[in-house]
Amino acid sequence: MVSEMTTHASLLWAVLLIPPLTETFKPLLSPGGGSLTHRDITQRAIFRKTGQVCRAMATAQGQNFTLATDDKLTAYTLQRACFSGGSSFLSALAFQTVVTKMYLSNAAVDVLLALSAPHHFDDETFVEGQEVVAQASAAVKAAVKHGSFISARISLGAACHTLQDFYSHSNWIEMGNRVPFSQLIRPDMPLDNLAGPDRATCRNCTGGNCTNNILPDVLQEKILTSGYFSLFSSAKPAGKCSHGGSFDRTSGQDPVGGINKDDTSESHGHLHLQAAEVAINATMELLEDIRLATSDKDFLRLVGMSQSSLLSFVIDTTGSMADDIAEAKRVSFSVIDLKRGTQEEPSEYILVAFNDPGFGPLIRTSDADVFKQEINKLNAAGGGDIPEMCLSGLLLALTAAPPSSDIFVFTDAPAKDAELKTTVTALIESTKSKVTFMLTGTSSSARRRRSGSPVSRALSDADAQLYRDLAQASGGQAIEVSKSSLPNATVVIEDTSTSALVTLLQAVRTPVRAENFSFLLDETVSNVTVYITGSSSPAFTLNSPTGESQNHGVPEGPLGTIQRVGNLQRVQLNAHNRTGLWDITINSTAKFTVKVTGQSSINFLFNFVEAFGGAHGDFSLKQSRPSIGKNATLLMSVTGSDSLKVTELALVPVSGSGVVNGTVEAIGGGDFLVTIEELPAGDFTVHLKGETSGVSRSSPTLFQRQSSTQLRASSVAVTASVNSTLEPGATITVPFIVETNTTAGSYIIRARNDRGFSSSSPSSLTLEVGGRAEGTVTLTAPSDTLSGTDVTLTIEAEAPGAIDSNYVVVSFVVASKVTDFTRPVCQIVGITANCPQDCSQATWQLSASLSDGNGTGIASVTVQEGNGTLSTNSSGVGITAALYSASCCSQAVELVMVDNVGNAAICSASIRNPSSPMTAQPMTTTANATANATATPVSTTSSAQICSNLSLWLWVIVVLPLLYPQA
Ligand SMILES: *[C@@H]1O[C@H](CO)[C@@H](O)[C@H](O)[C@H]1NC(C)=O
Ligand SMILES: *[C@@H]1O[C@H](CO)[C@@H](O)[C@H](O)[C@H]1NC(C)=O
Ligand SMILES: *[C@@H]1O[C@H](CO)[C@@H](O)[C@H](O)[C@H]1NC(C)=O
Ligand SMILES: *[C@@H]1O[C@H](CO)[C@@H](O)[C@H](O)[C@H]1NC(C)=O
């Protein structure tokens, strides 16, 4: 057992060990009665806000956007509307994956921080709750600025939870409010009218009916209060409201009963829907604030709304790699140049070089030209002895790439850091990214060399096996070719640099006989490719649904084009007459993999979730392998059609036999809960069958998809929680628990982080059969860590004899505590608008003076609305003056000002020709009601010239709201 247990850590363990009781809006699953959960609230808010952002971007480009932002929105309808035109293959998978991650992170607050009142606005902790939201929101902005989208989403999901709980746990709704309490995300504004510690706020409920238990004077005077909550004690201050519900012990105490609106059956359940609706709008306000502080483009990246895949290379740059590097350049340039400006242009590029002993840094950009420059800089040099730091480089790419990315590794040498295999595997499983190796140093590729060409370095079969194992675990491929034929193999990279790629079949076999594999091509699938890899170049025959067949020896046949390079055979199916059940018979003497992919909008994603206690039972994300011998639950989303039905979900062992079927329950909006009685032993993949009626014919289309990542269950369980933030220069303690129901003994513990932060953790823990052991990882961020940097921590536990292992992966952001919440303000210095009837003949000018008060200084000013030109002037403390000039036809302008920590505000002005000049008021000033505290005094208009002969009135609107009403 560990001895260095601190009081602080044991408190955190206590939190980990308590069965979390859901006392908020229900996290994921509705208990019925039409109640909305945190999942519903978060998803609807993201969908609506994303729709608004896409609309704004489309309008700015003069395009139509014809999607109503209502609650019928789905990830797919949004994806289609945001990227209309162009490719017929649109995958909403990335978007849905991100939205799911955000609501799972939201739901996790009920597990990690179940007992922290401020995280739920319980116990009248308004000031503290406002600070929780403010710091999380500042961390999100810093992370987005830094490109740390994965941890930004985690922080954002958590911030949404706290914000949403306010509407359920306080009396805001009971006061009659039906709009968000905007001060909650405006930490620069005071929270007025809070109930003092001695102010009584509730009275007994009458006969179990709590409709009128808030004291009338509290409601009349609009005094803000929230319910007290405790699992352990009935004590609460005299006269205060309780949260209510069966877990809340304070609610039995005078005044009896509660006020929460968590679902329709709760104390104030009659107001549940109103609370949930306002919570949706409040969440949209928070999202709008983050959008303003970043940009429309970054906002869409944050929510995972991008149109295509990324290109991600991990490249060995030691001496013998010159040819490989040249080929990596050639193929990436070819992809970039071919797809530039199209819907299939990669949305992001990742490049990691590794050598010995160096690796990295990670280069990540959305600018194709920057990527080209970086890859041009690569040079083959050095390396010393043969093994290189391959897995270290791969780890960097895995933690930075979006989920489900394709990563390509180029090397001709063994990995010097093979001990990272388990960590790499953990990250492959948790990110579901695919890793494909381009190996030019193996004996099987060397055999294919032209005689006489020197074998500079050889990968032994055992060395290559590490790469093959990782490729197989991820659903990628290990392609073994000679350096001279590498250019023929990189077509695989071009194949994956496309949108909406789906896996139709994937299997690995160590054959005893010829085997037949079938795969179903539905009407939505196109551009189908079959890959067979195996050192013996397996013989195969492909059979179409119409009875045609083609043998591996026929390069151009009735069914497709066959290409053979190294250990890879690739069949590109001809593009006609293909729907129905295909099969492929493979006859091999050695281990092989077969994989069939195509392009289709229909795809699925899933996460293992874990039940936690509480009256209704709910789930939280499992960040590790699920448990052997126990039942398991998958939360699954199917995207790509508006009318989808799932008919079968099966876990299929890699060996092919012992398939386990799940029980599928639709929970609305294309989401499903799948219950598995008992997980299969060994590695397995997830297979889906379903029907869609959205396609051309009247009868439903059947489809099949499968996951590419191999998963496995474990008899070891590892759980960990990060429930505080890490500041630069500070140390964080991450408590974790290892449990087993089988093997006793000493478990090896490995804790690794992708930033190389100094950390300490026990090297082993001793477990009894059916026992548990606790440990802590302490992690210190160097004081020069930039705010917004993310960290991925992997904690692994390996059973004695390495017979089993499990891990937990947690990501979080390093963020400086923000104390500047002052928003920038603008003062219109002058407007010159001499506009004739024909507006295209003249321009108008606006000059404004900008200030961040005592804040960190204005970092950027951008035009959000209006198509004029902006120039700014900076002084030592940031931008201080703005000059805007636009055509008289573009009558309104909105400038977004953002300071150095992400406080954002809008500066608006407009010259407008009122429809009815006679009734127009000469001057109008409006300030958004929710932001009146910071409205700047109206500026001078003396320089404005009114074209009275045309009845053109000048209107100046100075608005500094957080939320500018969306048209
Ligand atoms: C927008 O819609 C209108 C009416 O439906 C149509 O006339 C116009 O061509 C569309 N514009 C674009 C850019 O698609
Ligand atoms: C409220 O209810 C409690 C428990 O039933 C009772 O002891 C108390 O006297 C009641 N208070 C008032 C003011 O009626
Ligand atoms: C609770 O009391 C209110 C009035 O105070 C009444 O309108 C409502 O119908 C009651 N609810 C139940 C379930 O009795
Ligand atoms: C939420 O905002 C939308 C506009 O974005 C508005 O139509 C709706 O009425 C609002 N709902 C509530 C409950 O305030």
Side-chain angles (χ1 to χ4, degrees), residues 390-400 420 423-424 427 752 754:
C390 179
L391 301 194
S392 304
L394 176 55
L395 265 186
L396 285 186
L398 276 169
T399 52
L420 293 178
T423 311
V424 169
L427 281 162
R752 293 199 173 96
D754 65 333

Side-chain angles (χ1 to χ4, degrees), residues 807-891:
Y807 58 81
V808 62
V809 177
V810 284
S811 295
F812 51 96
V813 63
V814 183
S816 307
K817 194 176 164 68
V818 170
T819 51
D820 165 25
F821 292 112
T822 315
R823 279 161 202 254
V825 291
C826 79
Q827 194 161 7
I828 309 290
V829 176
I831 290 182
T832 315
N834 218 333
C835 288
Q837 186 107 51
D838 180 359
C839 65
S840 65
Q841 297 304 306
T843 59
W844 65 284
Q845 283 81 33
L846 164 87
S847 90
S849 153
L850 316 179
S851 150
D852 195 33
N854 295 328
T856 43
I858 297 177
S860 76
V861 183
T862 50
V863 180
Q864 162 141 315
E865 197 200 313
N867 52 12
T869 54
L870 174 72
S871 62
T872 56
N873 248 331
S874 314
S875 69
V877 291
I879 295 164
T880 51
L883 202 63
Y884 175 79
S885 171
S887 151
C888 283
C889 303
S890 176
Q891 297 178 326

Side-chain angles (χ1 to χ4, degrees), residues 48 52 178-180 274 277-278 281 284:
R48 286 188 204 169
Q52 290 179 355
R178 292 298 177 267
V179 292
Q274 286 90 332
E277 273 302 323
V278 181
N281 282 10
M284 289 175 68

Side-chain angles (χ1 to χ4, degrees), residues 61-127:
Q61 290 165 13
Q63 290 164 355
N64 289 335
F65 186 88
T66 50
L67 187 69
T69 43
D70 60 16
D71 292 332
K72 294 198 184 66
L73 287 178
T74 64
Y76 181 62
T77 54
L78 271 164
Q79 186 86 35
R80 205 170 44 193
C82 293
F83 295 112
S84 56
S87 167
S88 51
F89 302 106
L90 278 172
S91 173
L93 200 70
F95 182 39
Q96 185 67 56
T97 301
V98 166
V99 173
T100 302
K101 283 276 186 269
M102 282 204 257
Y103 69 62
L104 287 171
S105 145
N106 178 324
V109 176
D110 276 342
V111 182
L112 299 178
L113 295 153
L115 303 183
S116 165
H119 286 84
H120 307 278
F121 278 110
D122 288 331
D123 304 1
E124 300 184 320
T125 52
F126 296 110
V127 173

Side-chain angles (χ1 to χ4, degrees), residues 510-593:
T510 308
V512 286
R513 58 185 154 74
E515 188 173 344
N516 201 28
F517 299 89
S518 63
F519 56 95
L520 181 71
L521 295 192
D522 60 79
E523 292 165 54
T524 70
V525 179
S526 288
N527 299 332
V528 179
T529 314
V530 180
Y531 305 90
I532 298 165
T533 45
S535 56
S536 66
S537 292
F540 66 89
T541 308
L542 191 62
N543 300 300
S544 80
T546 50
E548 287 171 297
S549 71
Q550 185 173 341
N551 177 287
H552 62 100
V554 183
E556 300 277 343
L559 300 181
T561 308
I562 302 178
Q563 187 193 354
R564 181 190 290 198
V565 52
N567 66 340
L568 170 73
Q569 296 181 86
R570 170 179 176 272
V571 189
Q572 195 164 26
L573 294 198
N574 294 337
H576 58 82
N577 198 17
R578 300 158 296 100
T579 61
L581 199 62
W582 287 62
D583 71 57
I584 179 164
T585 308
I586 303 181
N587 197 349
S588 174
T589 54
K591 187 168 179 172
F592 66 89
T593 67

